[in-house]
């Protein structure tokens, strides 16, 4: 009987020790950095994937509807190709940067909560954490600009779509008035003023808005803009998490520090 009781006690202690170990491991998970990483990956994937396809559709619409002469939009085509290559670089960079920030979050969280013994940190470790704080702030400001820039094509496509809706709402016997409603893409400065035809009017404009390319590009630009916004939110979460961890690490590294968090 005593042997059985001792075995039960040992099993309960093993289960308790395993439970405490799991709780300890879960306590070292940087949940803020984890949420930010998932949000960052999702936002960057939406921005890069949808933006790449939407830019290709925009070039096709310009070539077919607004600029039949290749030389008129040659510069724009080169800029869009360059932007597509930049998108590849952004996707690769943020994939690596997100993983590095998540790993840094695990490191700082474990150090702050002293999960692996007595608190220890080095000047090099604090400098690396400070570097990530600074870099994340810079990237956050840069992505605010990207978010604003991604709203520009949404605004342009929305204006075109609104004009098409005006044409569709006109009575069938007002074709003359419909032909006077135009969209001049040259006023946005993306193609020169001598581009031919440079604008679309009436039924031609309504037909363009009915094409799958226009519909797809318009909605993809909206999703890309939403992805850029999600990335900005993710970077804000990163900024708060890294700044807090860095401040606590620096405070606890002081010799006169006796407060435990």
């Amino acid at each position: 009987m005593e042997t059985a009781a001792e075995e039960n006690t040992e099993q309960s202690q093993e289960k308790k020790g395993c439970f405490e170990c799991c709780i300890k491991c879960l306590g070292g998970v940087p949940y803020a950095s984890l949420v930010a990483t998932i949000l960052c990956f999702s936002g960057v994937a939406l921005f890069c994937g949808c933006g790449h396809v939407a830019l290709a559709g925009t070039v096709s619409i310009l070539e077919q509807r607004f600029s039949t002469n290749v030389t008129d939009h040659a510069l724009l085509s080169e800029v869009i190709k360059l932007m597509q290559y930049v998108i590849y670089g952004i996707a690769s960079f943020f994939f690596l940067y997100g993983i590095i920030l998540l790993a840094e979050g695990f490191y700082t969280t474990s150090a702050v909560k002293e999960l692996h013994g007595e608190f220890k940190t080095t000047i090099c470790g604090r400098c690396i954490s400070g570097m990530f704080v600074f870099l994340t702030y810079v990237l956050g400001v840069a992505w605010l600009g990207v978010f604003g820039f991604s709203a520009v094509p949404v605004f342009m496509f929305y204006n075109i779509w609104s004009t098409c809706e005006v044409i569709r709402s006109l009575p069938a016997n007002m074709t003359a008035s419909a032909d006077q409603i135009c969209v001049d893409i040259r006023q946005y400065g993306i193609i020169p003023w001598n581009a031919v035809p440079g604008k679309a009017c009436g039924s031609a404009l309504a037909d363009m808005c009915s094409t799958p390319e226009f519909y797809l590009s318009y909605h993809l630009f909206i999703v890309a803009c939403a992805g850029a916004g999600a990335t900005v939110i993710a970077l804000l979460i990163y900024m708060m998490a890294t700044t807090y961890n860095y401040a606590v690490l620096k405070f606890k590294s002081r010799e006169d520090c006796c407060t435990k968090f």
Side-chain angles (χ1 to χ4, degrees), residues 35-47 143 147 223-238:
V35 171
T37 301
I38 296 173
L39 191 60
C40 181
F41 283 174
S42 302
V44 171
L46 288 175
F47 174 78
W143 266 96
F147 176 64
V223 176
C225 184
T231 307
V232 171
I233 296 174
L235 289 172
L236 288 175
I237 298 174
Y238 273 137

Side-chain angles (χ1 to χ4, degrees), residues 62 66-69 71-73 184-186 190-199:
L62 286 173
F66 295 101
S67 180
T68 55
N69 190 355
T71 58
D72 291 337
H73 60 269
D184 193 341
I185 204 70
R186 294 171 295 187
I190 59 177
I191 57 175
W193 281 103
N194 58 356
V196 179
K199 62 181 180 179

Side-chain angles (χ1 to χ4, degrees), residues 34-220:
L34 186 61
V35 171
T37 301
I38 296 173
L39 191 60
C40 181
F41 283 174
S42 302
V44 171
L46 288 175
F47 174 78
C48 294
C50 296
H52 185 277
V53 178
L55 287 172
T58 302
V59 173
S60 178
I61 293 172
L62 286 173
E63 291 176 347
Q64 296 176 10
R65 304 286 179 172
F66 295 101
S67 180
T68 55
N69 190 355
V70 178
T71 58
D72 291 337
H73 60 269
L75 178 60
L76 178 63
S77 298
E78 291 298 324
V79 171
I80 289 179
K81 288 181 180 179
L82 179 62
M83 291 174 64
Q84 289 176 329
Y85 284 117
V86 170
I87 284 175
Y88 296 144
I90 290 174
S92 302
F93 172 77
F94 271 90
F95 176 76
L96 294 175
Y97 190 69
I99 293 176
I100 292 172
L101 277 184
L102 184 61
E104 196 267 345
F106 274 100
Y107 159 73
T108 52
T109 302
S110 299
V112 167
K113 295 186 178 181
E114 301 181 6
L115 296 179
H116 305 293
E118 186 180 356
F119 174 80
K120 291 182 180 180
T121 186
T122 61
I123 296 177
C124 182
R126 294 195 298 273
C127 288
I128 292 175
S129 297
M131 180 192 68
F132 281 122
V133 172
F134 174 75
L135 185 58
T136 306
Y137 269 85
V138 172
L139 289 175
V141 174
W143 266 96
L144 282 174
V146 172
F147 176 64
F149 179 76
S150 64
V152 174
V154 176
F155 171 75
M156 293 170 55
F157 272 82
Y158 175 76
N159 284 342
I160 297 173
W161 176 79
S162 300
T163 307
C164 292
E165 289 298 311
V166 172
I167 295 175
R168 291 169 182 165
S169 64
L170 292 176
N173 58 356
M174 296 184 65
T175 56
S177 298
D179 291 336
Q180 296 176 358
I181 300 176
C182 303
V183 169
D184 193 341
I185 204 70
R186 294 171 295 187
Q187 66 181 341
Y188 296 108
I190 59 177
I191 57 175
W193 281 103
N194 58 356
V196 179
K199 62 181 180 179
C201 303
S203 59
L205 179 60
D207 292 340
M208 183 195 72
C209 292
S210 301
T211 58
E213 285 182 342
F214 179 85
Y215 183 84
L216 181 63
S217 298
Y218 178 33
H219 288 83
L220 285 178

